[in-house]
Amino acid sequence: MFETAESAEQVILLGVELPSSQNFAMSMLELASLAEAAGAQVVTSYRQKREKYDSQFLIGSGKLQEIAAMIEADEIDTVIVNNRLTPRQNSNLEQAFGIKVIDRMQLILDIFAMRARSHEGKLQVHLAQLKYMLPRLAGQGVMLSRQAGGIGSRGPGESQLELNRRSIRHQIADIEKQLKAVEKTRSVAREKRLEPTVFKIGLIGYTNAGKSTLMNCLTDNNQYEADELFATLDATTKQIYLKDQFQVTLTDTVGFIQDLPTELVAAFKSTLEESRHVDLLLHVIDASDPNHTEQEQVVLAILKDLNMLDIPRLAIYNKMDQTKDLVATVFPNICISLRDQGSRQTLRQQILDEIEQIFLPFSVRVSPDKLYKLYQLSKYALLDPYQFTEESQEISGFIAETNKWRLEEFYG
């Protein structure tokens, strides 16, 4: 523990709040969590209110001198800026401070580079980093004049960043070509899952809200979960039985965060596609987070950008064991603690209730010679409890519109 603390990169956080800034306080707290997730130790944080950003340094001259004095007095390795820096601002700040300066976008890209596990995920992160760095190659000061190290340096590497623009563009084209091949393979697998017979559920939510925990709760599987930002980056799809033979697919994807770099949204388009074609979204919310309302709005805003607001949603307020006062603002919802073993059946039943709302109710009379077909029907429909009789059987339940044709074999 002591050695880890000694080797941690010492950083200063800097944020500029404009009149138009939204959720600024939450954003700064989040920046600190992101820095810690990248392995840094936050020494202090600076904030400045301005009418507009300074075109040269983002901040005013007074704040610039104050931070420079702090850097000179302490052994600070890096300044992390909460706002997106232009290449010019980035270069000017590095020259003024004499140390590495990165912005929030580069920090998130860096964390993604650490957490990507699959080949596709690594390619996507590499592509996003190259696209982000391309306009910043010219005029890079401190960062390109010394050996790479610490946060903001993972992924492409220092030697690649020193290549000329043409070389970087060639790398981008090559990675995009590789991703197209990977996407073709993913599309084949997705088409199999997109059969109308299979009900599809997608997990969405702010990063670290508990999506992977929910996945494990429903599947009894060992999906990686941890109390850290962006613990899961690669889309994972599992099949589960919700009731009797009724089977659904459950997909876990990367967590959302405000000001997600546009380079990453584009790079992870194929991953986010996994949630575009679902029948029900489970919106996992960390009820214990004091900023959960703002986080909910961030998720909904991203869903709007992805044209996914029309997909039915169930809000799951998680970590209720860590909070006493909760005012739910997203409906319909269920309030549970996924760490509580008793929550598993409650969650399953609530999901089944939501599916019934999406499905169509039906009732058919089944003759004794066709009762054996009910087993097959139970794979695609939610059947109400029934008992056998000598004459015939009235069967009721709920079924998807696309599977309603399966009831025809019971007629006549």
Side-chain angles (χ1 to χ4, degrees):
M1 295 290 290
F2 179 75
E3 291 181 357
T4 302
E6 282 289 301
S7 61
E9 193 168 347
Q10 307 295 296
V11 304
I12 287 177
L13 305 183
L14 170 62
V16 175
E17 182 179 9
L18 301 181
S20 60
S21 298
Q22 295 182 343
N23 307 323
F24 179 75
M26 181 186 86
S27 180
M28 288 298 292
L29 290 174
E30 204 168 74
L31 185 67
S33 297
L34 288 167
E36 291 169 1
Q41 181 176 345
V42 179
V43 177
T44 188
S45 176
Y46 289 91
R47 308 181 185 193
Q48 185 177 50
K49 289 187 176 182
R50 292 182 60 87
E51 289 299 316
K52 63 178 182 179
Y53 299 129
D54 181 83
S55 60
Q56 285 189 302
F57 295 99
L58 186 77
I59 55 178
S61 58
K63 185 64 68 176
L64 189 72
Q65 293 174 8
E66 181 183 349
I67 297 175
M70 172 69 182
I71 292 171
E72 187 176 352
D74 286 334
E75 294 183 358
I76 304 299
D77 301 300
T78 306
V79 174
I80 304 177
V81 182
N82 197 34
N83 314 82
R84 184 160 187 145
L85 295 171
T86 66
R88 181 187 182 189
Q89 290 169 336
N90 206 145
S91 179
N92 289 342
L93 285 174
E94 285 191 340
Q95 291 179 19
F97 295 150
I99 61 174
K100 180 174 59 180
V101 177
I102 66 173
D103 60 17
R104 179 189 182 93
M105 317 311 163
Q106 192 171 345
L107 177 61
I108 294 176
L109 288 169
D110 191 68
I111 295 173
F112 273 54
M114 283 195 300
R115 302 280 164 77
R117 292 176 173 83
S118 71
H119 175 62
E120 182 184 10
K122 291 176 181 178
L123 284 175
Q124 290 167 329
V125 172
H126 195 166
L127 176 64
Q129 288 179 312
L130 289 173
K131 285 185 174 181
Y132 180 80
M133 288 298 179
L134 183 58
R136 289 166 168 75
L137 291 177
Q140 283 286 344
V142 175
M143 192 171 178
L144 294 185
S145 65
R146 63 182 187 182
Q147 293 295 318
I151 52 179
S153 304
R154 302 178 181 94
E158 194 74 14
S159 60
Q160 287 180 310
L161 296 181
E162 290 174 336
L163 297 175
N164 58 45
R165 292 178 184 270
R166 180 176 298 180
S167 177
I168 294 294
R169 290 193 180 99
H170 283 324
Q171 291 182 67
I172 289 175
D174 181 60
I175 293 175
E176 288 178 338
K177 184 178 179 180
Q178 293 183 58
L179 281 173
K180 284 183 179 179
V182 175
E183 172 57 20
K184 186 175 181 180
T185 302
R186 178 189 286 274
S187 296
V188 173
R190 185 188 299 132
E191 284 175 6
K192 293 181 179 179
R193 293 197 299 270
L194 289 181
E195 295 177 4
T197 56
V198 180
F199 190 87
K200 298 165 289 295
I201 300 176
L203 303 184
I204 58 166
Y206 216 74
T207 180
N208 203 31
K211 296 185 300 302
S212 296
T213 303
L214 187 148
M215 172 78 92
N216 289 335
C217 179
L218 291 176
T219 64
D220 295 322
N221 215 303
N222 293 320
Q223 175 81 345
Y224 179 73
E225 57 179 270
D227 184 17
E228 58 186 26
L229 301 182
F230 303 119
T232 302
L233 289 185
D234 304 302
T236 304
T237 299
K238 303 290 182 182
Q239 289 187 323
I240 62 172
Y241 290 97
L242 275 182
K243 178 183 178 183
D244 300 327
Q245 300 305 310
F246 184 73
Q247 193 177 58
V248 303
T249 60
L250 189 63
T251 299
D252 185 15
T253 58
V254 61
F256 296 163
I257 192 170
Q258 67 172 329
D259 300 325
L260 185 68
T262 54
E263 294 84 0
L264 271 179
V265 173
F268 278 79
K269 183 179 179 181
S270 60
T271 303
L272 295 174
E273 284 284 331
E274 294 294 317
S275 292
R276 278 181 180 269
H277 303 95
V278 299
D279 303 296
L280 174 66
L281 287 171
L282 301 183
H283 179 183
V284 186
I285 301 166
D286 182 356
S288 67
D289 194 309
N291 297 307
H292 70 81
T293 301
E294 289 80 5
Q295 293 174 358
E296 293 165 9
Q297 296 307 311
V298 170
V299 172
L300 293 177
I302 294 177
L303 288 180
K304 182 179 180 180
D305 291 340
L306 295 173
N307 296 318
M308 293 169 60
L309 283 178
D310 59 335
I311 301 175
R313 293 189 307 276
L314 170 63
I316 301 173
Y317 284 93
N318 183 30
K319 306 182 185 181
M320 288 299 297
D321 57 322
Q322 301 176 32
T323 184
K324 294 181 179 179
D325 302 315
L326 172 72
V327 179
T329 55
V330 181
F331 299 92
N333 64 59
I334 179 175
C335 301
I336 58 176
S337 173
L338 291 172
R339 296 292 185 184
D340 181 5
Q341 291 295 323
S343 296
R344 181 173 304 185
Q345 188 56 41
T346 303
L347 176 61
R348 281 177 173 266
Q349 187 56 54
Q350 186 65 38
I351 294 174
L352 287 169
D353 291 344
E354 291 303 314
I355 294 176
E356 288 183 359
Q357 295 295 318
I358 298 171
F359 280 5
L360 300 174
F362 73 89
S363 178
V364 295
R365 297 190 70 83
V366 182
S367 59
D369 63 320
K370 292 183 179 180
L371 285 175
Y372 72 94
K373 294 185 177 181
L374 291 179
Y375 177 84
Q376 188 70 13
L377 182 63
S378 67
K379 293 182 179 181
Y380 312 109
L382 295 173
L383 302 182
D384 294 331
Y386 59 87
Q387 293 181 344
F388 295 102
T389 64
E390 294 183 2
E391 297 298 327
S392 62
Q393 177 65 53
E394 184 80 24
I395 300 297
S396 62
F398 300 85
I399 194 167
E401 172 111 31
T402 53
N403 284 323
K404 197 173 181 181
W405 63 270
R406 296 180 182 276
L407 300 176
E408 295 177 1
E409 58 184 335
F410 294 98
Y411 298 147

